[in-house]
Amino acid sequence: KINFFLPNPEFVKINIYDSLGRFIRQLLAKHLSAGKYEIQWDGRSEDEKTVPSGIYFCSLSTENVEKSLKICLLK
C-alpha cells in the first residue's frame, strides 16, 4: 500500500520501476482533490504479468513535487 497526502488539488502520477530503472507499471495518472489517499500495487506489470519478488521503486509526481520510495515486494 502506498499512502500519500495532497495539500492542494493536483494532477498525480504514480509509477513503479524495477531496480534497474525499467518502467513496470503506472498505478495512477489523474487529477485528485486535496486529501489523504491510499493506493495498492498488486505486484503486476503493465501487461498484467506477475513480477518477481524484489526491490522496486515507486515514483510519485505532481506539478510541484517528485518523490521516490523504495519498496520491497515479497510473495
Side-chain angles (χ1 to χ4, degrees), residues 27-65:
L27 300 180
L28 182 69
K30 65 191 254 183
H31 195 273
L32 298 174
S33 57
K36 285 178 152 181
Y37 293 91
E38 178 178 282
I39 190 163
Q40 186 166 333
W41 177 40
D42 61 3
R44 295 178 191 261
S45 63
E46 195 74 13
D47 59 0
E48 295 296 320
K49 293 181 181 173
T50 302
V51 299
S53 295
I55 302 296
Y56 292 86
F57 293 90
C58 173
S59 169
L60 181 146
S61 36
T62 69
E63 291 118 8
N64 301 311
V65 175

